[in-house]
Every structure is written in structure tokens, then in C-alpha cells.
């Protein structure tokens, strides 16, 4: 499988998410973790994340980080929550990982 992109930066802190979305290709996955989970609910980024599905890119969010910020249960349908075991599975199922910090 393709690349797993790990995004740990808030969408309000620079253009890291935009750069990640430009770089991700079909068969890739994006995992939002740390402050990156805020991107899943950011009004200015939702449309871009929604387009990932049509490009063959899956978007995941680390559930414990989402819940730590009081945002559990608010995810859009196209964002897939994973626990720590799911995080490990994503790493193991991709050829390479790129960290966006």
C-alpha cells in the first residue's frame, strides 16, 4: 500500500495540512493525531478532507487524542477513528510513513 501521512499540527498553525493534502496520492492514508485532530472539525478544512475520498485517500483520526480535546462523537462520516492498536495497524500496512510536524 502507499504512504501513511502522520499529521500532528493544528490547522491554525501554518499550512502543514495543505502541504500534506497536496502530497498525498491514491492509496495513501492520513492519520490526524495530537493537535492535528482539530483538522477533522475545522470549518475551513472540511471540504479539502472530504475530497480525499474521491482521490482514493483515507483519513483517520486518533480517537484518544480527539477525546482528550473533548471532541469525541463529532466526526464527519469520511473520517475514520482509530485507537492505538489501529495506529499500529496503519503503520504496518503502509510501505512508508511521513510525519508532518
Amino acid at each position: 500500500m502507499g504512504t501513511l501521512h502522520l499529521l500532528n499540527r493544528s490547522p491554525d498553525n501554518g499550512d502543514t495540512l495543505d502541504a500534506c493534502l497536496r502530497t498525498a496520492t491514491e492509496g495513501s492514508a492520513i492519520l490526524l493525531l495530537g493537535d492535528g485532530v482539530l483538522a477533522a472539525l475545522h470549518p475551513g478544512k472540511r471540504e479539502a478532507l472530504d475530497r480525499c475520498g474521491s482521490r482514493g485517500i483515507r483519513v483517520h483520526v486518533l480517537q484518544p487524542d480527539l477525546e482528550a480535546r473533548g471532541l469525541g462523537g463529532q466526526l464527519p462520516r469520511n473520517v475514520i477513528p482509530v485507537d492505538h492498536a489501529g495506529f499500529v495497524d496503519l503503520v504496518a500496512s503502509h510501505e512508508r510513513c511521513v510525519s508532518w510536524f
Side-chain angles (χ1 to χ4, degrees):
M1 191 178 268
T3 302
L4 174 62
H5 298 269
L6 305 172
L7 187 95
N8 165 321
R9 186 173 273 188
S10 166
D12 293 324
N13 189 3
D15 66 349
T16 307
L17 176 62
D18 296 329
C20 175
L21 292 172
R22 282 191 305 271
T23 303
T25 59
E26 184 175 354
S28 295
I30 297 171
L31 176 61
L32 306 171
L33 65 156
D35 285 341
V37 301
L38 300 173
L41 302 167
H42 192 281
K45 303 301 180 183
R46 275 185 110 153
E47 185 178 326
L49 289 172
D50 286 344
R51 286 192 303 266
C52 286
S54 65
R55 295 176 50 212
I57 301 165
R58 290 173 294 123
V59 179
H60 302 268
V61 63
L62 191 62
Q63 185 75 33
D65 288 350
L66 191 70
E67 290 173 3
R69 287 155 181 80
L71 301 172
Q74 300 180 32
L75 285 179
R77 290 180 299 167
N78 65 315
V79 178
I80 306 160
V82 296
D83 58 12
H84 288 106
F87 183 174
V88 173
D89 290 342
L90 284 170
V91 171
S93 66
H94 287 83
E95 294 175 39
R96 63 195 154 274
C97 293
V98 175
S99 295
W100 299 85
F101 293 95

